[in-house]
Amino acid sequence: MRKTNIKELAKILNFSVATVSKALRDSHEISEQTKKKVLEAAKEFNYTPNPYASSLRRKRSKTIAVILPEVADNFFSLAINGIQSIAEKKGYHVLIYLSHENFVIEQSFVEDCRSGRVDGLLISVTSETQNGAHIQKLLDEKLPVVFFDRELESIAAPKVITNDYECGFNSARLLLERGCQNIRFFSVSSDLAICSKRAEGFLAALAEAGLPNENAICYFSANDTHTHEHIKEVIANRGTVDGIVASVERLAIQTYLACHELGVQIPDELKVVAFSTVETAPILNPSLTTITQPAFEIGKNAADILFTLMEGKDYGYTKKPVIIPSVLVERKSTQNKTGA
Amino acid sequence: MRKTNIKELAKILNFSVATVSKALRDSHEISEQTKKKVLEAAKEFNYTPNPYASSLRRKRSKTIAVILPEVADNFFSLAINGIQSIAEKKGYHVLIYLSHENFVIEQSFVEDCRSGRVDGLLISVTSETQNGAHIQKLLDEKLPVVFFDRELESIAAPKVITNDYECGFNSARLLLERGCQNIRFFSVSSDLAICSKRAEGFLAALAEAGLPNENAICYFSANDTHTHEHIKEVIANRGTVDGIVASVERLAIQTYLACHELGVQIPDELKVVAFSTVETAPILNPSLTTITQPAFEIGKNAADILFTLMEGKDYGYTKKPVIIPSVLVERKSTQNKTGA
């Protein structure tokens, strides 16, 4: 059935457009009888108010935006579930924008949020994002913004993250305890706080053990379409390297695929730990030792803070991020034969 | 920096709001000199046109919506990449709505699309969706809609799918050829066309082999929060069942996790084939035989058709869906010892 617009509806009813509009907004200027007529006709003739127009009037879109780099990583799909669990309770829609690790796309999405389309923003930045001027603009215009996981240290906004430094430290220490002597950290970015903090913790564990740290951090750009080939090269030419910490899920899976293709045995020839929430960790060959991030909880907490801000309430913001700790789950990929 | 609105901008310039508005729209009524002044002041005083207002004027949101059940399934994250590859070229934003397999949420998202917020819709319906009245409304109002993967047979709109019946048939035949004698099909819905067509093909292969088909189809509702326990029960009490076809990725992973916990050996005690695009298939324990769907291509083709429709062009619509075939990749989960 074709939609009727407000002019046509007014004509059908023989009322002015202003009267119909006021009746639809439940104005006290209009009699109950007129309101009833208008509502009945709106239903009968398939009139839906245009929310662009009503957003202008109400200045509320009942929508929040989530900008994140990708959904193929399990972390983000679980975080979205956490966000949606709160938004649904509040009767809000969630719009998801994927930046595909591209800073220019992220900027354009953030710009889009300035226009009144959304009432608040949850963001996890791309691995290319080095400065936050685009996000600062939103904050200057009083649009609530909350970071989750991938934050920008230079921007003063609420942040929900995990204990990245500590986890980086623990992952390296586990490998050293299992007998590794020459370990590497696979990173996607030197700029992303989550990666640099994990790397810092990793290096601190090396220093504590009195081991050298030159070349200990290997970078694989998130936009490198040849990551698989590059990881395969690194594994093939690994020399004495006997342990790897993968800072994101994708790099762990690529490491496994490379070892599989090259016939390199995990854990006998190479031990692997990954920052990952991948559900298949226990059924991989061999099962994968993970730093399991509380992805759902991170999303849920970030959304909780966002709604608190959107409702104009104070949630007790300090410069310190909210930290929800990850859990190290050891599986076969780091165990020695006797421990397997 | 605070944003300026059009009234304030007009005041600053000492022009009428109408003049400023016309200048910003590049109207021929306004002199070049005035336009230049207005544009310079807009920049200087941080004026951004409100896109709700300009959407009303232009009736173009430069945005398409994608409604789909979840992103944890690799199929959908790859399909989104395919969609985005086209949308980016066209300079469109993609808004992603997750229905979480909930029909009421899907209805509310579709309703949201009626309001002019988006110029077109790509949809893959929930496993609960039995009728398409909500989608028919959009079509009646001339909003372009294209189905991908999970379509509704009753709705006359373009559809991009894979060869589900044939793949169901081939998956059963593979298991029978590998010596299975009592096989089951794990489905999420009897209503979803993709599931019922895959099941039909599966049953046809049983019939061709002269095998009984009672109880051959097992249902695990998509909203069952205890799927893992239920699959574990089915595997534990499987009796003589020696082969399983999982119609979606999630059920395959749950089957593996259940076998792992129960100590059931794949493929010796139970062979498994899955409809899945999961990247980890080769590194699972054992590697997983898959019907690999062309997820990226399905998304890309559906988006191509949507833009053709949005541009008012004819793409040669017939009632027949566009079919992009899947590929069966055999790995260890269906092989006998000698073949391993």
Side-chain angles (χ1 to χ4, degrees):
Chain A
M1 185 184 177
R2 193 182 153 280
K3 274 206 286 189
T4 305
N5 65 35
I6 197 164
K7 272 193 192 166
E8 290 162 338
L9 194 66
K11 214 167 196 174
I12 289 164
L13 285 160
N14 208 14
F15 289 154
S16 73
V17 170
T19 301
V20 172
S21 168
K22 281 177 187 167
L24 290 168
R25 273 182 290 154
D26 201 21
S27 161
H28 64 90
E29 295 174 39
I30 308 294
S31 74
E32 288 309 313
Q33 204 190 352
T34 303
K35 281 181 196 169
K36 203 175 154 225
K37 269 191 199 164
V38 170
L39 289 177
E40 280 171 6
K43 209 171 165 189
E44 190 181 345
F45 295 98
N46 198 28
Y47 170 76
T48 322
N50 186 325
Y52 281 103
S54 58
S55 283
L56 274 177
R57 206 164 51 228
R58 286 184 289 113
K59 306 218 169 161
R60 277 277 157 153
S61 64
K62 279 277 187 185
T63 304
I64 61 169
V66 182
I67 301 181
L68 42 76
E70 52 165 333
V71 285
D73 189 307
N74 234 46
F75 175 86
F76 290 114
S77 57
L78 289 173
I80 290 172
N81 290 350
I83 291 165
Q84 205 126 9
S85 75
I86 298 291
E88 268 169 32
K89 264 191 225 154
K90 299 279 183 180
Y92 265 66
H93 280 169
V94 176
L95 294 185
I96 298 163
Y97 294 89
L98 302 183
S99 59
H100 286 273
E101 300 279 15
N102 181 319
F103 178 60
V104 175
I105 295 179
E106 177 181 290
Q107 273 185 312
S108 123
F109 286 159
V110 169
E111 187 64 25
D112 203 41
C113 292
R114 292 180 67 197
S115 59
R117 164 171 264 165
V118 300
D119 299 340
L121 168 65
L122 293 163
I123 187 166
S124 206
V125 299
T126 78
S127 51
E128 295 182 346
T129 307
Q130 296 187 8
N131 85 71
H134 55 315
I135 296 166
Q136 189 58 50
K137 265 194 196 167
L138 293 190
L139 293 169
D140 292 347
E141 291 162 8
K142 307 292 175 208
L143 191 94
V145 178
V146 177
F147 287 93
F148 66 102
D149 192 49
R150 299 181 174 193
E151 48 110 3
L152 288 172
E153 291 188 305
S154 59
I155 302 290
K159 292 158 188 180
V160 183
I161 59 173
T162 190
N163 53 340
D164 291 302
Y165 177 91
E166 197 183 336
C167 290
F169 185 89
N170 292 342
S171 62
R173 195 146 73 175
L174 175 72
L175 289 175
L176 299 175
E177 281 172 7
R178 294 290 169 270
C180 293
Q181 295 184 318
N182 191 1
I183 64 180
R184 294 286 180 273
F185 183 87
F186 282 6
S187 173
V188 286
S189 161
S190 55
D191 298 311
L192 268 186
I194 57 155
C195 283
S196 59
K197 282 189 203 157
R198 289 169 192 177
E200 264 175 54
F202 175 91
L203 293 173
L206 285 190
E208 196 193 65
L211 291 171
N213 64 16
E214 300 96 65
N215 311 316
I217 313 293
C218 308
Y219 294 103
F220 300 94
S221 151
N223 290 311
D224 178 1
T225 50
H226 302 288
T227 300
H228 181 65
E229 278 65 46
H230 291 160
I231 288 194
K232 221 170 134 179
E233 270 172 45
V234 170
I235 305 272
N237 304 315
R238 72 192 180 285
T240 59
V241 172
D242 51 11
I244 284 169
V245 175
S247 65
V248 298
E249 189 168 301
R250 195 169 44 80
L251 294 181
I253 291 171
Q254 292 304 332
T255 300
Y256 261 59
L257 289 168
C259 287
H260 180 81
E261 286 171 39
L262 294 165
V264 172
Q265 300 298 317
I266 305 172
D268 297 351
E269 299 176 71
L270 191 68
K271 293 184 171 50
V272 180
V273 191
F275 284 80
S276 171
T277 57
V278 67
E279 203 184 4
T280 50
I283 54 173
L284 289 181
N285 184 17
S287 59
L288 174 64
T289 296
T290 55
I291 309 275
T292 307
Q293 305 126 294
F296 184 93
E297 292 302 317
I298 287 178
K300 190 166 170 280
N301 274 268
D304 245 340
I305 295 173
L306 186 71
F307 277 99
T308 306
L309 294 172
M310 279 160 46
E311 287 158 9
K313 292 180 209 150
D314 182 22
Y315 91 104
Y317 170 69
T318 66
K319 279 198 175 167
K320 278 197 184 163
V322 175
I323 294 179
I324 308 179
S326 296
V327 179
L328 197 159
V329 182
E330 185 168 19
R331 300 194 184 85
K332 289 192 180 162
S333 67
T334 49
Q335 289 174 7
N336 293 308
K337 274 262 159 67
T338 50
Chain B
M1 185 182 177
R2 192 180 152 283
K3 274 205 285 188
T4 306
N5 65 34
I6 197 164
K7 272 192 195 169
E8 291 163 336
L9 194 65
K11 215 168 195 174
I12 290 164
L13 285 159
N14 209 14
F15 289 154
S16 73
V17 170
T19 300
V20 172
S21 168
K22 281 176 187 169
L24 289 168
R25 273 182 290 155
D26 201 20
S27 161
H28 64 90
E29 295 173 39
I30 307 296
S31 74
E32 287 308 313
Q33 204 190 353
T34 302
K35 280 180 197 168
K36 202 173 156 229
K37 269 191 198 163
V38 170
L39 288 176
E40 280 171 5
K43 210 171 165 191
E44 189 181 345
F45 295 98
N46 199 26
Y47 169 77
T48 323
N50 185 326
Y52 281 102
S54 56
S55 284
L56 275 177
R57 207 163 50 227
R58 285 183 291 115
K59 306 217 168 160
R60 278 276 159 150
S61 65
K62 279 277 187 182
T63 304
I64 61 168
V66 182
I67 301 180
L68 41 77
E70 51 165 334
V71 285
D73 189 307
N74 235 45
F75 174 86
F76 290 114
S77 57
L78 289 174
I80 290 172
N81 290 350
I83 291 165
Q84 206 126 10
S85 74
I86 298 292
E88 270 170 30
K89 264 190 230 157
K90 300 278 184 182
Y92 265 67
H93 280 170
V94 177
L95 294 185
I96 298 163
Y97 294 90
L98 301 183
S99 59
H100 286 273
E101 299 279 15
N102 181 319
F103 178 59
V104 174
I105 295 179
E106 176 179 290
Q107 273 185 312
S108 123
F109 286 160
V110 169
E111 186 65 25
D112 202 42
C113 293
R114 290 180 68 197
S115 59
R117 164 171 264 166
V118 300
D119 299 339
L121 169 65
L122 293 163
I123 187 166
S124 205
V125 299
T126 78
S127 52
E128 295 182 347
T129 307
Q130 294 187 10
N131 85 69
H134 56 314
I135 296 166
Q136 189 58 50
K137 266 193 199 168
L138 294 190
L139 294 170
D140 293 347
E141 291 163 9
K142 308 292 175 209
L143 190 95
V145 178
V146 177
F147 287 93
F148 66 102
D149 192 50
R150 300 181 173 193
E151 48 109 4
L152 288 171
E153 290 188 307
S154 58
I155 302 291
K159 291 157 190 180
V160 183
I161 59 173
T162 189
N163 53 340
D164 291 302
Y165 176 91
E166 197 183 336
C167 290
F169 186 89
N170 292 342
S171 62
R173 195 145 74 173
L174 175 72
L175 289 175
L176 299 175
E177 281 171 6
R178 295 288 170 269
C180 293
Q181 294 184 320
N182 191 1
I183 64 179
R184 295 285 181 273
F185 182 89
F186 283 6
S187 174
V188 286
S189 161
S190 55
D191 297 311
L192 268 187
I194 57 154
C195 283
S196 60
K197 282 188 204 158
R198 289 170 192 177
E200 263 175 55
F202 175 92
L203 292 173
L206 285 190
E208 197 193 65
L211 292 170
N213 64 16
E214 300 97 65
N215 312 317
I217 314 292
C218 308
Y219 293 104
F220 300 92
S221 152
N223 290 310
D224 179 1
T225 50
H226 302 289
T227 301
H228 181 65
E229 279 66 44
H230 291 160
I231 289 194
K232 222 168 134 179
E233 270 172 44
V234 169
I235 305 271
N237 304 314
R238 71 191 183 284
T240 59
V241 172
D242 51 11
I244 285 168
V245 175
S247 64
V248 298
E249 189 168 299
R250 194 169 45 80
L251 295 180
I253 291 170
Q254 293 303 333
T255 300
Y256 261 59
L257 289 168
C259 287
H260 180 81
E261 287 172 37
L262 294 164
V264 172
Q265 299 299 317
I266 304 172
D268 297 351
E269 299 176 72
L270 191 68
K271 292 183 171 52
V272 180
V273 191
F275 283 81
S276 171
T277 56
V278 68
E279 203 185 2
T280 50
I283 53 173
L284 290 180
N285 184 17
S287 59
L288 173 65
T289 296
T290 55
I291 310 275
T292 308
Q293 305 127 295
F296 184 92
E297 291 302 316
I298 287 177
K300 191 167 170 278
N301 273 269
D304 246 339
I305 295 172
L306 186 71
F307 278 99
T308 306
L309 294 171
M310 279 161 46
E311 287 159 8
K313 292 182 209 149
D314 183 21
Y315 91 103
Y317 171 69
T318 66
K319 280 197 175 168
K320 279 198 184 159
V322 175
I323 294 178
I324 308 179
S326 296
V327 179
L328 197 159
V329 182
E330 186 168 20
R331 300 194 184 86
K332 288 192 181 163
S333 67
T334 49
Q335 288 175 6
N336 293 308
K337 275 260 160 68
T338 50

